[in-house]
Amino acid sequence: MKNIIFILLFVVLTSGSCENEHEVVRSFCYWKTDLNFEKEDDSLIKNLNVKHLYVRFFDVDWNPYAKEPLPVATIHDIRLNNSNPEITPSIFITNEVVLQANASQLDSLAARIAKRVQIIGTRMNETKADKIANEIVYPKEYYKNENFKRLNYDSIKAIELAKLKVDFKEILIDCDWTEKSKKNYFYLLKQIKQQFPTAKISATIRLWQYKYAEKAGTPPVDKGLLMCYNLNKPDDLKTKNSIGTSEDLAEYITHDTYKLKLDIALPLYSWAVVFRGNQFKGILSDYDQLRSDTIKLKKSSDTKYILQDDILVGQTYLRNGDEIRIEKISEDELEKMISIVKSKIKIDNQTKVTFFSFDKKYINDYGTQNISNYYESF
């Protein structure tokens, strides 16, 4: 009898623990106009066990002269070297586009988005085929004849290219829509879905859209990507950290009733916000030169500094007396943010946890072990 009770207890305990065990899909956002991985980038992908990348393919903005939406800032190149993460094309659409465009323009835009994604996907495949052909043909020393080399290279590239299809599993649409623009935006999403019948369509969900879902509406897509950063206005002198804090996040993630399955995006970057005479002057994403100059930068509080001299940082001219606010999410704050997300949002094996953004500077700053721990915290 005791043995039976022990076996039953063991089954209950182990089944309960297995039910809660999961390993999220490790992901990053890549938001530059060129993706050309070097060996160090490949190593970071491998060490972090990253399986997925959201890659910004292009933006869509409203052209006031043509009075129509037009693609801008298209990514030039995608070369992953030896990495092979799954790629989700990401398209940023300004709110102005969905405010100004009519139904006919939105129909056309959906078709043009699909065409441009196809073109970029084809270029990606050509790059892959080119790499394979080069690795097979050109290291072979016994190919003495250059014409023979070229003939073999072209043949192998053609064969490899024929094997590759532009077949993305997911397309992410990024737009900070409003109550006023949601009707047009949701219409556009339906048209985009028709253009990608075999792919899942996902949409970014800002925190206000999550908290006030009845007012903001729920986009007609397969899933959402909850953006857990950029919570405050950087141009406000009184802002503590515009990237976000756990207290800010807790004010938005107040329920667990959102109608879409959600993936999670968290911040993994830092920047310097500049004020002159209490007036906002801009944001510096590359401020290492400033941070290392302890003579010209006088600390006035935990996150604020006063410039002691005129200085040129990149292309930005800063003046003596400018106030610099360094913004970064601490390791403790990130752990708190993860706990808040987990308390309200269902996490499972299919949940993508993505960090913004993939950049050697930010990754090395936080450390690969810490980042791995963040993934594991889910």
Side-chain angles (χ1 to χ4, degrees):
M1 185 66 179
K2 286 182 179 179
N3 287 340
I4 294 173
I5 292 172
F6 176 78
I7 291 169
L8 288 172
L9 182 61
F10 176 79
V11 169
V12 170
L13 290 174
T14 54
S15 63
S17 63
C18 289
E19 190 175 64
N20 294 324
E21 286 180 1
H22 51 251
E23 188 172 345
V24 298
V25 179
R26 298 184 175 205
S27 173
F28 264 93
C29 292
Y30 191 93
W31 235 247
K32 299 179 182 179
T33 52
D34 254 321
L35 196 166
N36 196 346
F37 273 16
E38 299 172 351
K39 287 184 178 180
E40 186 181 349
D41 300 292
D42 284 325
S43 294
L44 290 173
I45 290 284
K46 182 179 179 181
N47 293 340
L48 288 167
N49 197 24
V50 171
K51 301 297 185 184
H52 175 269
L53 288 177
Y54 290 104
V55 178
R56 189 202 63 82
F57 272 30
F58 56 92
D59 300 342
V60 181
D61 202 355
W62 181 257
N63 187 304
Y65 305 104
K67 296 190 184 303
E68 64 174 331
L70 293 175
V72 295
T74 300
I75 195 165
H76 299 137
D77 203 1
I78 299 179
R79 295 177 182 270
L80 290 168
N81 204 357
N82 294 318
S83 303
N84 192 33
E86 179 188 338
I87 287 181
T88 292
S90 304
I91 297 97
F92 174 72
I93 301 174
T94 66
N95 190 48
E96 190 71 12
V97 166
V98 284
L99 276 174
Q100 298 288 350
N102 57 40
S104 176
Q105 288 175 318
L106 294 175
D107 291 341
S108 174
L109 176 59
R112 283 187 291 160
I113 285 173
K115 183 177 180 181
R116 186 159 292 221
V117 168
Q118 177 73 27
I119 290 170
I120 296 170
T122 300
R123 287 212 313 259
M124 281 177 55
N125 288 345
E126 288 174 349
T127 300
K128 289 178 184 177
D130 176 74
K131 183 175 184 295
I132 293 169
N134 267 303
E135 288 175 347
I136 292 174
V137 173
Y138 281 92
K140 304 291 185 183
E141 293 181 2
Y142 55 82
Y143 290 153
K144 302 296 184 183
N145 187 302
E146 283 298 323
N147 290 331
F148 183 72
K149 278 186 179 182
R150 189 74 220 179
L151 181 63
N152 275 269
Y153 165 83
D154 290 341
S155 300
I156 293 169
K157 182 177 178 180
I159 291 168
E160 293 300 323
L161 192 56
K163 296 178 187 177
L164 300 169
K165 306 295 180 187
V166 179
D167 185 24
F168 296 109
K169 295 179 182 178
E170 179 185 354
I171 308 293
L172 175 70
I173 306 300
D174 180 12
C175 179
D176 188 5
W177 81 89
T178 62
E179 278 187 271
K180 191 174 180 181
S181 64
K182 70 178 179 182
K183 182 179 178 181
N184 271 4
Y185 179 53
F186 291 0
Y187 174 82
L188 174 62
L189 289 173
K190 291 176 181 177
Q191 304 312 111
I192 291 172
K193 178 62 179 174
Q194 290 182 18
Q195 296 289 332
F196 296 96
T198 63
K200 288 186 180 297
I201 303 299
S202 55
T204 54
I205 311 295
R206 302 307 195 272
L207 286 167
W208 79 266
Q209 295 160 349
Y210 174 89
K211 181 175 181 178
Y212 303 107
E214 287 190 13
K215 184 187 293 186
T218 306
V221 293
D222 298 297
K223 61 194 308 193
L225 177 63
L226 187 63
M227 314 294 277
C228 300
Y229 53 89
N230 287 0
L231 305 184
N232 296 298
K233 293 181 177 179
D235 59 359
D236 187 345
L237 186 63
K238 296 178 181 178
T239 294
K240 182 180 177 182
N241 189 332
S242 64
I243 296 173
T245 66
S246 57
E247 290 87 353
D248 293 328
L249 189 63
E251 290 181 9
Y252 285 98
I253 301 184
T254 56
H255 63 85
D256 58 0
T257 58
Y258 200 75
K259 295 178 182 178
L260 286 176
K261 173 77 173 69
L262 292 172
D263 293 319
I264 308 299
L266 289 162
L268 201 75
Y269 64 96
S270 60
W271 58 29
V273 185
V274 182
F275 292 88
R276 183 173 301 151
N278 295 338
Q279 296 295 313
F280 174 71
K281 298 304 294 182
I283 292 174
L284 299 174
S285 58
D286 188 2
Y287 62 93
D288 288 346
Q289 176 188 344
L290 268 178
R291 188 164 51 176
S292 61
D293 196 336
T294 55
I295 296 174
K296 292 183 179 177
L297 207 61
K298 182 181 178 182
K299 192 168 187 176
S300 59
S301 71
D302 286 344
T303 60
K304 292 182 180 179
Y305 300 80
I306 304 298
L307 202 58
Q308 303 297 297
D309 198 356
D310 295 351
I311 188 173
L312 184 67
V313 180
Q315 301 298 314
T316 304
Y317 180 70
L318 302 179
R319 294 180 181 173
N320 183 10
D322 284 355
E323 182 173 294
I324 315 291
R325 185 176 70 221
I326 305 296
E327 296 188 348
K328 178 186 176 182
I329 308 295
S330 71
E331 295 169 19
D332 288 342
E333 275 293 280
L334 263 174
E335 289 288 1
K336 289 177 184 177
M337 293 171 86
I338 290 169
S339 295
I340 291 165
V341 169
K342 287 168 57 182
S343 70
K344 297 294 183 184
I345 296 170
K346 179 177 172 54
I347 307 295
D348 57 32
N349 289 329
Q350 281 74 50
T351 303
K352 293 189 188 79
V353 172
T354 191
F355 286 103
F356 184 92
S357 62
F358 189 89
D359 188 303
K360 285 177 286 192
K361 177 178 67 177
Y362 300 137
I363 293 172
N364 291 330
D365 192 19
Y366 277 88
T368 54
Q369 186 57 58
N370 283 332
I371 297 169
S372 285
N373 291 340
Y374 299 145
Y375 286 123
E376 291 171 3
S377 295
F378 282 93

